[in-house]
Amino acid sequence: MTGLNGGDPTGDHNAKNAKPPHRPSRIFPVMWRHSRQLEADVQRWQEAGWVTPDGAKAIAEELRAQTPAFRLPAVLAILGAVLLGFAAMSFVAANWQEMPKIARLGLLGAALWGFYGLAGWLFSRNLEAFAHAAILGGVGIFGAAIMLIAQMYHIEGRPPDAVLLWCAGAVLAGILLRSNPSLVLAMLLAGLWSGWETSITEHVHWPFLIAWGLISLGFVWHKWHPGMHVSALAISIFVVLLGYLLNEGHAHGLVLIIGLAVATVGILITTLHAIPALIEPARTSFGYAIAVSYAALFALQFIEDPMTNTLIATAVGTLALLIGAIILALRTDNRGALWVAYTAFSIEVMGLYFKSVGTLLGSSVFFLTAGIVVIALAYVAYRLHLSAQVQGRA
């Protein structure tokens, strides 16, 4: 391998003259969120003599080439497309009544295919960010067309169905044109559709899971890592809301079980390394599972309004759970889960402080007990760290 000191005594010479491999990511699994950590690892490997300076430079250049930077023009293009969509809808709505029906349909069709044609031209010019913005503009026009045509022909029906049709159009645009921003919009529309249906029926809207699954498959097919977060956030919100919709709003225990089960599976996959392809999704799901679990625990403590003794026991268990999550996140270098656990821990302490556990004396006893538990867990974590170091040297 180029840049590695192996058994070949001419490794340095080869490292200087040989071209870097086209995709070293096959050897070093490159994910954009780990680029800084990988660069630090490469520097450490170079200092240890495992990688030559030229090899380290080649790897660093490849990492930077594969790491998507924050592109201000892309963001501004997408925001501009959103504004143009609203401008078009406002203009059409203002002049809608004065236009004949055939002109209305022609204008909507021309605007829709104009945006998609513009996207194709931009793709051919390698202006992908602007092309995706044009696709979003087309999806926006499609949504406006649904509403305006329904109004024009006096089509009556359930308003959420129109949102569902709009969502379907966004999904098709995202899949057929490989547009991740369009899939993100589709997920937002699916959430709007499901929330609207829930507000009407006051029951769990299970069909949301079908839309969520299809959109998530689109993210998987595109191999788009940020899409994992979009899907995880959407399903996390759905699961948390189950606690307020099932069992007359008292199903937070079920939500807690679901969150802990997902977190456990994430821990097992991450630590056992049995299925490498699932390690990154497991790391992502672990942080969201902790958020779901704490949302259920928060509801059990501060919304269900349990007795003081039950609250104390639940609060101690919650703090222990969050500290355990912090330790696991540190050991697996899961920064997302770490920040979730830190935030939940802070919310928990502040919630307990403002709610108070009975009297001020009861509050002081609780915080004293919690402090002792935290210190004990810190000691256990320290002993585990020393044990791991000893085993590493052996």
Side-chain angles (χ1 to χ4, degrees), residues 80-90 115 137 140-141 144:
V82 173
L83 293 174
L84 286 177
F86 277 107
M89 287 186 287
S90 300
F115 269 109
I141 292 297

Side-chain angles (χ1 to χ4, degrees), residues 236-237 239-240 244 251-264 267 285-301 314 317-318 321-322 325 340 344 348:
S236 296
I237 295 173
V239 172
V240 169
Y244 298 92
H252 303 292
L254 173 63
V255 174
L256 176 60
I257 293 173
I258 294 174
L260 293 178
V262 175
T264 301
I267 293 170
S285 63
F286 176 71
Y288 288 97
I290 293 300
V292 169
S293 301
Y294 179 68
L297 288 168
F298 182 90
L300 290 172
Q301 294 173 93
T314 306
T318 300
L321 174 67
L322 293 175
V340 169
E348 177 71 11

Side-chain angles (χ1 to χ4, degrees), residues 22 97 114 116 132 135 146 170 173 195 250 262 273 312 315 350 361 388:
H22 179 63
Q97 300 299 329
Y116 288 142
H132 290 302
I135 293 172
I146 294 172
H250 301 288
V262 175
H273 299 279
I312 294 175
M350 292 299 296
L361 179 60

Side-chain angles (χ1 to χ4, degrees), residues 19-385:
K19 295 181 179 180
H22 179 63
R23 288 193 179 274
S25 58
R26 296 178 181 176
I27 300 172
F28 301 99
V30 179
M31 298 296 290
W32 66 270
R33 64 191 297 269
H34 296 310
S35 60
R36 292 186 178 180
Q37 180 62 42
L38 284 172
E39 289 181 358
D41 289 339
V42 171
Q43 183 178 0
R44 178 169 54 83
W45 296 335
Q46 179 183 345
E47 294 173 354
W50 301 342
V51 180
T52 65
D54 290 338
K57 182 179 179 181
I59 294 172
E61 290 176 353
E62 183 71 13
L63 287 177
R64 284 191 290 270
Q66 294 187 8
T67 302
F70 177 83
R71 297 186 179 96
L72 182 61
V75 175
L76 293 178
I78 291 176
L79 293 177
V82 173
L83 293 174
L84 286 177
F86 277 107
M89 287 186 287
S90 300
F91 174 80
V92 172
N95 300 275
W96 194 247
Q97 300 299 329
E98 301 176 3
M99 300 170 58
K101 289 184 178 181
I102 188 66
R104 300 175 190 178
L105 295 175
L107 178 61
L108 291 174
L112 177 64
W113 292 108
F115 269 109
Y116 288 142
L118 176 62
W121 181 79
L122 290 170
F123 274 127
S124 68
R125 306 280 293 182
N126 293 324
L127 298 172
E128 293 190 3
F130 295 96
H132 290 302
I135 293 172
L136 280 182
V139 173
I141 292 297
F142 177 71
I146 294 172
M147 312 302 176
L148 294 173
I149 291 175
Q151 180 187 25
M152 182 170 58
Y153 290 100
H154 305 287
I155 301 175
E156 296 182 0
R158 292 173 58 84
D161 292 342
V163 178
L164 175 60
L165 182 59
W166 189 4
C167 175
V171 171
L172 286 176
I175 297 296
L176 297 178
L177 303 178
R178 299 188 65 85
S179 175
N180 293 318
S182 183
L183 288 177
V184 172
L185 176 59
M187 187 67 80
L188 293 175
L189 292 173
L192 175 60
W193 165 60
S194 181
W196 204 338
E197 290 282 3
T198 300
S199 67
I200 293 174
T201 62
E202 297 184 355
H203 290 90
V204 178
H205 186 237
W206 297 109
F208 168 77
L209 295 177
I210 299 176
W212 175 84
L214 292 175
I215 299 170
S216 299
L217 285 176
F219 289 134
V220 173
W221 183 49
H222 293 177
K223 298 180 181 180
W224 194 49
H225 182 75
M228 294 168 53
H229 290 279
V230 175
S231 295
L233 178 61
I235 196 64
S236 296
I237 295 173
F238 180 83
V239 172
V240 169
L241 290 178
L242 292 179
Y244 298 92
L245 296 172
L246 295 176
N247 193 25
E248 298 181 353
H250 301 288
H252 303 292
L254 173 63
V255 174
L256 176 60
I257 293 173
I258 294 174
L260 293 178
V262 175
T264 301
V265 173
I267 293 170
L268 293 175
I269 294 176
T270 303
T271 55
L272 295 179
H273 299 279
I275 309 176
L278 295 181
I279 291 178
E280 193 59 34
R283 288 169 56 88
T284 301
S285 63
F286 176 71
Y288 288 97
I290 293 300
V292 169
S293 301
Y294 179 68
L297 288 168
F298 182 90
L300 290 172
Q301 294 173 93
F302 304 112
I303 297 177
E304 294 287 338
D305 194 23
M307 300 296 293
T308 300
N309 293 336
T310 306
L311 175 60
I312 294 175
T314 306
V316 171
T318 300
L319 292 176
L321 174 67
L322 293 175
I323 292 171
I326 291 172
I327 293 173
L328 286 171
L330 287 171
R331 292 176 67 89
T332 58
D333 192 27
N334 193 335
R335 297 183 181 181
L338 181 64
W339 281 110
V340 169
Y342 274 142
T343 303
F345 186 90
S346 302
I347 294 173
E348 177 71 11
V349 173
M350 292 299 296
L352 291 170
Y353 177 79
F354 285 111
K355 185 179 179 69
S356 184
V357 185
T359 64
L360 290 176
L361 179 60
S363 299
S364 64
V365 171
F366 168 77
F367 284 113
L368 174 63
T369 304
I372 294 173
V373 170
V374 171
I375 293 174
L377 289 173
Y379 177 74
V380 171
Y382 174 71
R383 297 297 302 178
L384 290 174
H385 177 68

